[in-house]
Amino acid sequence: MKNRFPRVSLWAALAFAVYVAAIALSNWLIVHVGIPAGPGVHLTPVGFGLLAPSGVWAAAVSFPARDVTQRLGGRRLGVAAILAGAAVSWKISNPAIAVASGVTYLCSEGADMAVYTPLQRRWFVPAVFASGCVAIVVDSALFLHLAGIYSLPSLEGLVLGKFWVILAAVPVTWALRNRGPMAVAAQAGAVAA
């Protein structure tokens, strides 16, 4: 039977690229797109009359991308993606936003690992959802504080906006688990065993 590990590596590289792009895009959006809310900060509506920093949608995409990157490429690849995303953000965004983002992602990586890592082998989709829900609160509060833009309405808006994306990611992660790269990895593991 043909070895499918190269296909898994390709999916890991794709997850890494999505993770890096989501980090960089979220920081670029905050600085450049939306309703101006002060020097270098733009907001976007997220529902129920709340606003959040404009990078909310891309930042939320990074959470399931982080979990898929970790699952397929390991934790080191996830940390490398954070560092790469912060470096790209430094160039295309505001350096203060890039630093706040990089530190926040590294800290929320720990919260994510505490929830996601023990669950992911057996319950991948619930693990992605649960870790995303934990990460959006930790990540949002820390980022807003480090970026110097903390307020309770901003926190509420950021958490709500990210929650919408985490909720939308459930069917995507299910498909990845049952038909995508994790299914290939499971098959490759069974062949290797």
Side-chain angles (χ1 to χ4, degrees), residues 3-5 8 182-193:
N3 186 348
R4 296 185 182 187
F5 281 114
V8 172
M182 272 62 94
V184 171
Q187 290 170 359
V191 169

Side-chain angles (χ1 to χ4, degrees), residues 47-64:
F48 302 106
L50 294 172
L51 297 171
S54 292
V56 62
W57 310 115
V61 167
S62 71
F63 298 132

